[in-house]
Amino acid sequence: MRRWGWLATPGLAWLAAFFLVAFYAIVAVGFGNVTDVYEPVPHWNPLDWNVGYMLQALDDLLPGGRSWGVFLRTLLYVGLALALSLAIGYPVAYYVSRHARGRTKVVLLVLLVAPFWISYLMRMFAWTNLLDSQGYAAQALNALSIDSLFRAVGLLDGDDWLGGQPIAVILGLVYGYVPYLILPLYAALDRIDQRLIEAARDLGASPAGAFRRVVLPLSKAGTLGGIVLIALPMFGDYYTPDLMSGSPRTAMIGNTINNAVQGGPDKALGAALTLLLSLFLLVFMLYYLRVLRREEGT
Amino acid sequence: MNEPSGLSRRRLLAGAGALFAGAGLAGCENTTTPVRTAEGGGGDGIMGDPTAGGPVDAAGIPLARRDYPVTLPRIADPVKAGRPERGGELQIYNYADYLNPEVLKAFGEQEGVSVRVTTFNTLDEAYTKLSTGRFQFDVIFTAPDHLPRLVGRRLIQPLNFDLIPNLRTEVWPELHSPFYDVGPRYSVPYTLYTTGIGWRNDKLGDFDPGELGWEAFWRAGDYRGRVGVLDDSREGLGMALMRRGVTDLNTEDEAKLTQAADDLIELNEIARVKVAITGYETLPAGRMWLSQVWSGDMLNAVISYLPEGTSGDVLSYWYQRAGGPVFNDCICMGANAAKPVLAHRFMNYLLDPKVAYDNFVGYVGYQPPITAIDAEALFAEEILPENLRNCIVTPEDYANGNAYLALTADGRRAWDQAWARFRNG
C-alpha cells in the first residue's frame, strides 16, 4: 500500500491546487470585507475573519429573510427535478442493465453517453431555439396538444414555453442532468447478481416482490449516488433558469449568488451564501457516505 | 430593508466587539488609497479639486452632474507627441461586438500593427480586472460614470489632445469639454445612446407608448412572458422611477428606491419579465415583443440580427424626449499603455467621420457624436428603416436628457440592494 502511495500525489496536488485553494479563497472572501468601491477584500487569516457577511447571509436564508423565498423555490425545483429524473432514469437504467441484450445494449449505452459529448450549456442553448414559438419542439408540443394539457392543469401560463414558466426550468434541469443519473444507476443495477433475483423468484417472490426486496435495496447506494451527483450541481445552477426563463419569478439560489458576485455590491455576501449552500449540501453528502459505508459493511 | 453587511460590520465593531473578540475583527478597512494629484493635495481632501464641496464617490472624487461639471484630477502628465509605435499589438479592452472588425483591420494595415481586442461583459468586471494591475491595455472603452474610479485607482492616464485633432474638428461641440471630464483630460466620446422602449409592431398592433410612456410596461399583462427589462440595476430601477415621474435618475432616496423595487416586483407579477440585455437579438427573433432597450441595440438588431424573412419594419422604438436617459460611452488610455502615441492615433481614427460612419452603420449600430454624419440622410436614403427614426440621438436630446451618473458609495449600495430584491423574485 505504502509503496504505491506516491501514485496519488498528482491527484492530491491537483485537488490541493484547484479545489482546496479555490475553496479557501471563497472562505476568505466570505469572511472578508468589501471596499467602498465594491472590491472584495479576502481575509486569509482566520484570526481576522469578519463574520458580518456570514451572519447577513444566514439571516437572508432564514424564514422571512431576503433570500428565503428563493431558497424555498430552489428546494422545490430541485426536489421536483430529482423526482422526475428518477422516474425517467430508473426504468431506463433498469431496462438497459437487465433486459437489453447484445447489440441493442451497446447501442443504448452509446446513446446514454452521447449527451456527454455536447456541453451542458450548448444543450441548453439549443432548447432556447427549440422551445421558441417557431421552434420545432414548441410546434411539436403544440401539435400534440401538450401545451393545452399543461395549461389545463395550471403548469403553463400563456403559450410561451420560455416566458418565465417554472415548468420549463424544472424540465430543463431534468433534461440537463438526467444522463448523469442514469449512468451510475446503470452501473449499480448491472452489478446486481442475477442469481439473487432468481433465488428470490425460486423462493416464491412475485416479480414485483423480487424487485422490491432485492433489486431496490441493492441499488440504493447507486441511486443515492446518482441523486447526489445531480442534486449538487442543480442547487448551484443559475444558467438553466437564466436560459429557460430569465425571469426573476423563476430565479434560483444560484442566480442570487451569481448576481451578488457578478456585479452586485456585496461579493462577500455571495461568497458567504455559497459557503452556507455548501454546508447545506454537505449534509446530503454525509448521509450518502453513511449509507455507502453501511452497505460496504454488510 | 435590511442593513447592508458592510455597515453591520462597522456596527458590530462599535457595539458588539466583545461578542466576537476571538474572531479578531480587524480595524477599519478601506483599501482605496486616494491618490495625490499633480496639482497638489490642498483643499478639503477631495483630491485637491477646486470644485470640492459636492457629493463625492468612494475615491473622494466629486460626482459630476450636468449642472455640476467636474475636472478630474491630473494624476500624471500626458505623453508627448512622438512617432507612433510600430509593430507588435495594439491592445484594446472593450465590450464584445462594439467595434467593427473591418475598421480595426484597416487601422492595423494603416499603422503596421495588429490590433487585438480583449472583451469584458460589464464595466464592473472590467474595473475589477484592470485593478489587479496584471493587464496592459493601450485603449480602454468605458462609460463616463466610471471615469472617477479609473482615475482614482490610476488605471487610466491623461490624454494629449494635440494628438486627437478630430475631437475639436469633427465631434459635436457639446462634447468638446463634457461635464464629466472638463477639459477634457482623460476621455474622448465614442457613441451616443438613449434608453427607451423597443417593440414588435407586428405583434402589438397599434401599441404606442407615446401616451403611456413607461407605464406601458405595467399594462403589458397580455404579452406576459414576452416583456424584457434591461439587466442593469440603474436602468431597471430608473425605468420604475420614471414611471412615477421621478426626474432625478441619480437619487439616493431610499424611499424612492424601495418604491421602484416594489414597482418592478409588481411588474414581474403582471408581465413575467425577462431580465436580460439581449434585446438586440430577442426582439428581431420575435422571442420578445416589448422590451426596455438601448437605442443602438435596435439599429444593431436591423444591421446584424434580423432573421431571414423578417423585415426591419417590424421594429419600433420610443424614447422619452424630455428627461429620458441619454448618454455616451467614452474611450480612455490605459495607465501602463505600451503604445501611447498609437493609442491616441486610434482614438483620432475612430473620430474620423468616414471611419465613424463605417463603424456605426456597418456594424455597431450605436451612433457616434460626429457632426458630419447626417442622421436624417440615413433614413432618406433608406439605409436605416424609417420606423426606427427615434433611435437617432440629436444634440437637443442630449441637452434635454437625463443620465445615470456615479453615486456615492452608500447610494450605489442602496440601488444595488433594491435591485437584488427584485432579482430574487
Side-chain angles (χ1 to χ4, degrees):
Chain A
M1 184 67 198
R2 182 173 294 172
R3 251 173 75 197
W4 299 104
W6 59 271
L7 276 176
T9 321
L12 287 177
W14 179 272
L15 267 182
F18 296 107
F19 176 71
L20 289 181
V21 173
F23 189 78
Y24 192 71
I26 298 176
V27 173
V29 171
F31 285 101
N33 207 348
V34 176
T35 67
D36 281 344
V37 282
Y38 308 125
E39 292 164 286
V41 183
H43 287 188
W44 298 101
N45 183 351
L47 292 177
D48 293 338
W49 276 359
N50 159 33
V51 294
Y53 282 99
M54 192 51 80
L55 293 177
Q56 175 74 65
L58 199 60
D59 194 43
D60 283 357
L61 284 176
L62 291 176
R66 295 185 296 187
S67 302
W68 168 244
V70 181
F71 184 60
L72 276 189
R73 188 186 299 135
T74 309
L75 281 179
L76 179 70
Y77 285 11
V78 173
L80 288 172
L82 285 177
L84 265 171
S85 298
L86 260 186
I88 295 168
Y90 201 98
V92 172
Y94 187 82
Y95 176 80
V96 177
S97 68
R98 310 227 63 88
H99 295 290
R101 290 279 168 269
R103 225 193 178 134
T104 326
K105 186 164 181 167
V106 173
V107 170
L108 286 174
L109 276 174
V110 168
L111 285 177
L112 286 183
V113 179
F116 293 94
W117 294 355
I118 310 167
S119 90
Y120 185 95
L121 205 57
M122 290 310 292
R123 290 191 285 134
M124 280 299 147
F125 262 124
W127 277 110
T128 60
N129 287 312
L130 289 169
L131 281 178
D132 182 36
S133 343
Q134 280 99 45
Y136 296 134
Q139 285 179 351
L141 287 168
N142 296 359
L144 295 169
S145 297
I146 289 177
D147 60 330
S148 322
L149 179 72
F150 273 41
R151 251 195 308 278
V153 292
L155 286 174
L156 187 72
D157 180 17
D159 60 351
D160 181 11
W161 288 93
L162 296 172
Q165 316 274 4
I167 187 71
V169 176
I170 295 167
L171 291 179
L173 287 172
V174 172
Y175 165 78
Y177 290 107
V178 82
Y180 300 88
L181 175 69
I182 294 178
L183 274 189
L185 261 179
Y186 164 78
L189 289 165
D190 204 44
R191 268 205 307 267
I192 297 174
D193 193 334
Q194 183 68 30
R195 289 171 303 180
L196 290 173
I197 302 166
E198 283 162 10
R201 299 279 285 136
D202 284 348
L203 292 169
S206 65
F211 175 78
R212 193 167 51 82
R213 288 163 168 239
V214 178
V215 177
L216 213 51
L218 283 177
S219 64
K220 189 177 170 192
T223 310
L224 277 174
I227 287 180
V228 167
L229 200 66
I230 64 171
L232 299 189
M234 273 188 195
F235 270 107
D237 197 328
Y238 65 92
Y239 37 86
T240 305
D242 256 0
L243 288 175
M244 303 304 285
S245 148
S247 166
R249 272 176 43 127
T250 58
M252 292 171 66
I253 193 77
N255 295 100
T256 305
I257 293 171
N258 182 44
N259 292 340
V261 174
Q262 284 282 335
D266 292 323
K267 295 190 168 64
L269 187 67
L273 279 171
T274 307
L275 292 175
L276 287 176
L277 184 64
S278 308
L279 205 65
F280 173 76
L281 296 176
L282 198 64
V283 178
F284 270 105
M285 206 57 201
L286 288 176
Y287 175 68
Y288 168 61
L289 290 176
R290 222 184 61 154
V291 170
L292 209 62
R293 185 167 308 161
R294 221 185 300 154
E295 300 254 315
E296 276 172 1
T298 53
Chain B
M1 182 178 278
N2 285 301
E3 182 148 37
S5 312
L7 294 181
S8 67
R9 174 171 177 265
R10 268 172 227 148
R11 196 188 56 207
L12 279 174
L13 266 176
L19 202 62
F20 304 102
L25 293 166
C28 184
E29 181 150 20
N30 183 359
T31 55
T32 324
T33 318
V35 291
R36 294 246 172 271
T37 69
E39 289 98 333
D44 294 316
I46 306 169
M47 303 192 67
D49 197 285
T51 52
V56 296
D57 76 351
I61 295 178
L63 302 179
R65 296 290 181 261
R66 283 181 189 277
D67 55 357
Y68 187 76
V70 164
T71 311
L72 294 165
R74 191 150 76 200
I75 52 174
D77 289 324
V79 296
K80 300 270 183 299
R83 211 166 339 158
E85 303 83 1
R86 291 187 80 84
E89 282 183 334
L90 179 74
Q91 299 284 352
I92 295 175
Y93 200 33
N94 193 4
Y95 288 102
D97 296 332
Y98 202 29
L99 272 170
N100 187 342
E102 298 292 325
V103 163
L104 292 178
K105 206 172 131 207
F107 181 77
E109 281 165 9
Q110 175 189 312
E111 301 289 336
V113 290
S114 61
V115 181
R116 185 185 174 128
V117 179
T118 307
T119 60
F120 52 77
N121 290 312
T122 66
L123 292 172
D124 280 328
E125 177 200 323
Y127 174 74
T128 306
K129 288 205 177 142
L130 286 172
S131 48
T132 63
R134 283 196 286 271
F135 300 90
Q136 190 175 32
F137 292 111
D138 298 297
V139 180
I140 295 170
F141 286 72
T142 190
D145 56 318
H146 286 248
L147 286 177
R149 60 178 183 167
L150 290 172
V151 173
R153 280 294 295 267
R154 293 176 179 272
L155 299 174
I156 56 176
Q157 58 174 306
L159 299 175
N160 177 349
F161 287 90
D162 292 341
L163 298 174
I164 314 176
N166 282 345
L167 178 68
R168 298 280 168 202
T169 55
E170 307 295 348
V171 173
W172 289 4
E174 290 85 347
L175 283 158
H176 285 181
S177 177
F179 69 94
Y180 56 79
D181 180 15
V182 174
R185 283 185 169 171
Y186 291 92
S187 65
V188 296
Y190 179 45
T191 58
L192 301 155
Y193 63 88
T194 59
T195 312
I197 303 177
W199 75 95
R200 287 288 296 244
N201 52 44
D202 56 335
K203 308 280 187 196
L204 302 194
D206 55 358
F207 173 86
D208 180 14
E211 288 169 27
L212 288 172
W214 297 102
E215 176 68 22
F217 278 86
W218 278 263
R219 310 267 181 98
D222 288 349
Y223 333 120
R224 63 187 187 282
R226 299 193 182 275
V227 179
V229 171
L230 284 171
D231 187 3
D232 179 305
S233 59
R234 299 298 300 277
E235 296 281 8
L237 289 165
M239 173 174 110
L241 288 172
M242 286 185 284
R243 175 216 183 194
R244 294 263 171 195
V246 176
T247 50
D248 178 9
L249 294 185
N250 301 300
T251 180
E252 298 187 1
D253 183 335
E254 294 253 0
K256 284 181 183 155
L257 293 172
T258 304
Q259 178 70 59
D262 287 345
D263 285 355
L264 286 180
I265 290 166
E266 184 202 350
L267 170 62
N268 198 29
E269 292 301 316
I270 296 170
R272 267 203 328 256
V273 292
K274 199 178 188 84
V275 184
I277 53 166
T278 46
Y280 55 86
E281 191 255 326
T282 50
L283 276 169
R287 210 167 294 149
M288 289 282 131
W289 291 356
L290 172 67
S291 187
Q292 184 190 23
V293 287
W294 289 300
S295 55
D297 277 356
M298 289 303 276
L299 296 179
N300 193 15
V302 175
I303 295 167
S304 307
Y305 288 93
L306 277 181
E308 216 171 303
T310 305
S311 143
D313 296 335
V314 299
L315 296 172
S316 294
Y317 180 77
W318 170 87
Y319 161 66
Q320 182 184 324
R321 288 275 160 213
V326 49
F327 212 21
N328 59 288
D329 281 343
C330 59
I331 321 174
C332 314
M333 180 163 70
N336 51 0
K339 300 185 187 306
V341 178
L342 198 61
H344 282 88
R345 282 179 74 83
F346 181 71
M347 292 181 206
N348 196 53
Y349 172 77
L350 282 183
L351 296 178
D352 175 88
K354 171 152 191 326
V355 174
Y357 179 87
D358 287 346
N359 194 45
F360 167 36
V361 179
Y363 193 83
V364 171
Y366 280 86
Q367 171 194 353
I370 301 287
T371 319
I373 294 182
D374 179 6
E376 294 297 318
L378 296 175
F379 297 103
E381 292 163 27
E382 295 183 4
I383 293 166
L384 295 173
E386 176 65 31
N387 46 306
L388 289 180
R389 191 177 276 269
N390 282 336
C391 292
I392 291 301
V393 184
T394 64
E396 292 73 41
D397 293 333
Y398 194 82
N400 297 327
N402 225 320
Y404 298 103
L405 300 168
L407 304 168
T408 67
D410 287 345
R412 198 182 147 191
R413 175 163 269 126
W415 276 76
D416 282 330
Q417 291 197 339
W419 181 246
R421 197 153 64 82
F422 161 62
R423 289 300 306 271
N424 268 346

